[in-house]
Amino acid sequence: MNRRAFVLSLLAVPRGASAAHAQAAALRLPQFRDATPQSRIGFQCNGSPTSQKYLIETMPGGVAMFDYDGDGRMDLYFVNGAKLDDPMPPRKEPDKTDPRFWNRLYHNNGDGTFTDVTAKAGVQGRGYGMGVAVGDYDNDGHTDLYVTNFGRNILYHNNGDGTFTDVTDKAGVGGSGWSSSACFVDYDRDGWLDLIVTRYMQWDFEKNIWCGPREPGYRGYCHPASFKQATHLVFHNNGDGTFTDVSDASGIGTVPGYGLGIAFNDYDRDGWPDILIANDNVPEQLFHNLRNGKFEEVALRVGLAYDEDGRTFSGMGTDFDDYDNDGWPDVVVGALANEKYALFRNRKGEFEYVSGRSGLGRISSMHSGWGLKLIDYDNDGWKDLFVAQGHVMDNISLSSPSLKYLEPMLLLKNDAGVFEDVSALSGDVLGVPRASRGVAFGDLDNDGFPDVVVSCLNAPAVVLRNGGGNGNHWLLVNTVGTSSNRDGIGARIRVVSESGLEQFGFVTTAGSYQSANDKRVHFGLGQDKKVKLLEILWPSGIEQRLEGITADQILTVKEPPRAVK
């Protein structure tokens, strides 16, 4: 029996059966455990649900995994909603003064526990929160925070002493309307991180309408088509602590959508980052970088706009990474139940919808996916897929009895490009039904096996520790730019391990849903104890080559100076 057939045989084993545990051990699958109680994280994302079914109640909130104090450990920032009246009076703003509705920053103590440092850091937030982006926008060596809201957004400058300063007005990045996801990316490669923000729709409390049957308990959250689409925001970094709004001039702000997720990568390998936006029930968007500060929307042309039947779907969370190790970044997008999660394989700049042949369509058709990412959770050299799930409608079972509002999490193992559901074999915590939303991915304990943090709507957040233990090796690459932006965001990394396995990574904190991830690039190496070759193409155009790297370490790589001609 080959490996794929063996995995398939395990799927018939009932949860909890001793045979399942024995077979999981035989496959050496790492187990996720619920580390929330030990972590001392008591965060809950409060959507403040009302009888009015305000659509914003369903959409928060993001999570950031980043090292805010430079101690080498990943800290956590959670975005919260705000208090809503039922109904909301005209022109009244959501109230965030109650500490139950604060955003929260947790410092990683290095022993599995976290300390709430929100008040000291000054990052409680304001307004009704949605998402978060992280990046060192002023290249001072300290990671900054950008928080998206329904209403005005916030840019927090990291002061380097454990505190942050709200510099939104000075920087000019407040925006307006309903912002969702955001990312820091040096799209013009001038060495300064720019900022791109997706906006969901044109909506406010006074425009709220009744959707669904007028029967007790049946009122629903409205379909996005009930409201006008919104345009996205692009802020160019001027290098002096300020940004210029170039939304329209860039071309991105001229193409509206129902923008939720955002990610970026270099889809055509021309050396310039391109922007992917996951849209809800309108075509997905891919903005091709024209290398002159402008972008062209090309999703239809390259095969990313629709599914294989030419239909739109409810794009929410997204990732832009190379799942099949061919060197060309692929795209995965979550969707609602009765659709399918979309997987688009990149074939040298043209995309092919492969949800069916990859197994993802069969597995996901009855699920609703929000935060997601391609991660090599078992360090075998192939990126697997983790999806946090939960329907948008809290009363969906009334109209569709086969669907559930609360759903378990989904973990799909990548077997050379084919995905199999190993959720039931990878820890009981994954099987607990939740209304999951934002998810951050990265290595909380620096053991080389990626961990997961999930924000759940109106329920406690969950910290999932990856137990590893299968003997596979790994490498974490931490980039430090000099000519490029200091984070090295946008650098492309190629790794060849001693067995000849070739992998590709891209430095980014974007992806998932309204969330930000550990920027260090993770590579699983299987049984290989060395990396023969590591190549980095920096955003500046500088190429760097390292050889003979020992596995099982966090490797910090500093961008070399430009060669003198």
Side-chain angles (χ1 to χ4, degrees):
M1 182 183 296
N2 63 30
R3 180 180 167 204
R4 184 187 173 204
F6 187 33
V7 174
L8 281 169
S9 72
L10 301 187
L11 302 182
V13 180
R15 175 181 292 277
S18 58
H21 294 290
Q23 290 173 323
L27 272 180
R28 304 166 82 192
L29 296 180
Q31 301 292 295
F32 284 96
R33 66 178 178 85
D34 185 353
T36 316
Q38 176 195 355
S39 73
R40 302 179 189 168
I41 289 174
F43 177 80
Q44 176 169 306
C45 182
N46 294 301
S48 195
T50 70
S51 66
Q52 306 301 307
K53 296 289 184 179
Y54 295 126
L55 192 53
I56 62 170
E57 300 167 10
T58 68
M59 306 306 286
V63 190
M65 189 182 294
F66 74 121
D67 181 8
Y68 83 91
D69 58 350
D71 66 356
R73 297 189 291 263
M74 293 295 111
D75 310 298
L76 297 172
Y77 185 76
F78 293 87
V79 179
N80 210 338
K83 186 178 185 299
L84 302 179
D85 291 337
D86 191 1
M88 283 289 287
R91 291 173 293 282
K92 181 180 179 181
E93 295 296 321
D95 181 8
K96 209 179 187 78
T97 56
D98 186 331
R100 291 178 301 170
F101 294 97
W102 285 4
N103 303 343
R104 293 284 174 175
L105 176 63
Y106 292 91
H107 175 258
N108 188 336
N109 299 322
D111 60 359
T113 68
F114 291 77
T115 299
D116 187 337
V117 295
T118 308
K120 175 186 175 182
V123 289
Q124 296 94 326
R126 62 170 180 267
Y128 198 101
M130 287 290 158
V132 58
V134 300
D136 183 3
Y137 78 88
D138 57 353
N139 290 332
D140 68 351
H142 307 296
T143 306
D144 309 297
L145 280 169
Y146 186 76
V147 181
T148 61
N149 294 311
F150 171 72
R152 202 158 178 272
N153 304 325
I154 310 169
L155 177 61
Y156 287 115
H157 176 258
N158 188 335
N159 301 320
D161 60 359
T163 69
F164 291 76
T165 300
D166 182 343
V167 296
T168 312
D169 291 337
K170 174 187 174 182
V173 293
S176 62
W178 183 344
S179 297
S180 182
S181 294
C183 70
F184 283 101
V185 52
D186 183 8
Y187 70 79
D188 57 354
R189 292 174 37 181
D190 65 353
W192 300 92
L193 290 176
D194 311 299
L195 181 61
I196 302 179
V197 184
T198 69
R199 290 196 290 188
Y200 187 37
M201 62 174 59
Q202 298 181 42
W203 182 93
D204 61 43
F205 295 104
E206 296 178 44
K207 294 179 181 177
N208 199 54
I209 58 177
W210 186 294
C211 293
R214 289 186 177 271
E215 302 177 29
Y218 277 82
R219 183 174 184 175
Y221 294 103
C222 293
H223 190 279
S226 302
F227 308 98
K228 292 182 179 179
Q229 299 175 40
T231 55
H232 313 304
L233 301 173
V234 182
F235 298 103
H236 177 260
N237 191 334
N238 300 320
D240 60 0
T242 70
F243 293 74
T244 299
D245 187 338
V246 295
S247 304
D248 289 347
S250 71
I252 291 178
T254 65
V255 187
Y258 296 114
L260 289 177
I262 191 168
F264 64 91
N265 207 314
D266 181 7
Y267 87 92
D268 56 353
R269 290 179 28 175
D270 66 354
W272 295 76
D274 309 297
I275 311 300
L276 170 72
I277 294 179
N279 279 313
D280 188 356
N281 275 286
V282 294
E284 310 306 290
Q285 293 171 331
L286 178 64
F287 291 94
H288 179 231
N289 194 328
L290 300 179
R291 314 183 201 180
N292 59 0
K294 298 182 183 297
F295 292 81
E296 179 186 10
E297 206 289 297
V298 297
L300 179 60
R301 182 197 311 167
V302 302
L304 263 179
Y306 303 96
D307 70 10
E308 63 185 344
D309 297 317
R311 298 176 300 192
T312 60
F313 50 89
S314 306
M316 297 183 291
T318 189
D319 197 20
F320 201 170
D321 209 346
D322 181 14
Y323 84 95
D324 56 355
N325 289 341
D326 67 353
W328 295 85
D330 311 294
V331 168
V332 60
V333 186
L336 282 183
N338 292 325
E339 300 172 337
K340 300 173 184 175
Y341 300 166
L343 180 63
F344 296 92
R345 185 183 180 194
N346 188 340
R347 292 183 173 272
K348 299 183 178 181
E350 300 286 334
F351 290 86
E352 179 184 11
Y353 184 89
V354 294
S355 293
R357 76 176 65 169
S358 69
L360 182 58
R362 167 183 55 81
I363 296 167
S364 66
S365 62
M366 298 299 288
H367 297 292
S368 301
W370 297 79
L372 56 80
K373 188 168 177 57
L374 292 159
I375 59 167
D376 185 2
Y377 87 101
D378 58 352
N379 283 342
D380 68 350
W382 294 86
K383 296 179 183 68
D384 312 294
L385 179 62
F386 185 102
V387 188
Q389 304 184 128
H391 205 278
V392 68
M393 302 284 287
D394 56 1
N395 57 0
I396 186 63
S397 59
L398 293 177
S399 57
S400 301
S402 62
L403 303 181
K404 305 296 181 184
Y405 173 56
L406 305 180
E407 291 193 59
M409 299 177 198
L410 184 65
L411 179 61
L412 304 183
K413 183 171 178 57
N414 182 353
D415 185 9
V418 177
F419 290 97
E420 298 298 340
D421 186 351
V422 295
S423 311
L425 302 173
S426 303
D428 290 342
V429 63
L430 301 184
V432 178
R434 296 179 171 90
S436 301
R437 293 297 186 264
V439 187
F441 300 85
D443 194 346
L444 290 173
D445 51 5
N446 291 335
D447 69 347
F449 284 82
D451 307 300
V452 182
V453 179
V454 184
S455 185
C456 302
L457 195 56
N458 303 313
V462 185
V463 178
L464 300 174
R465 291 278 188 172
N466 185 338
N470 64 359
N472 284 345
H473 300 286
W474 53 274
L475 184 70
L476 268 176
V477 181
N478 180 39
T479 52
V480 179
T482 53
S483 299
S484 302
N485 66 85
R486 194 180 187 283
D487 286 334
I489 284 177
R492 183 171 182 264
I493 303 176
R494 173 176 174 256
V495 162
V496 182
S497 53
E498 60 187 352
S499 66
L501 180 64
E502 186 177 30
Q503 299 179 63
F504 298 83
F506 193 75
V507 183
T508 175
T509 61
S512 186
Y513 171 75
Q514 295 184 345
S515 296
N517 307 299
D518 185 348
K519 87 171 183 72
R520 301 173 299 181
V521 182
H522 169 261
F523 295 95
L525 303 176
Q527 293 300 298
D528 291 346
K529 297 180 180 180
K530 282 188 178 294
V531 167
K532 290 194 301 185
L533 174 64
L534 186 150
E535 293 178 334
I536 302 178
L537 176 60
W538 294 87
S540 63
I542 293 173
E543 298 182 22
Q544 187 172 8
R545 180 185 177 101
L546 303 172
E547 298 181 358
I549 300 166
T550 302
D552 303 331
Q553 65 165 310
I554 301 170
L555 180 70
T556 296
V557 183
K558 187 173 182 179
E559 181 180 15
R562 294 182 183 275
V564 178
K565 295 183 179 180

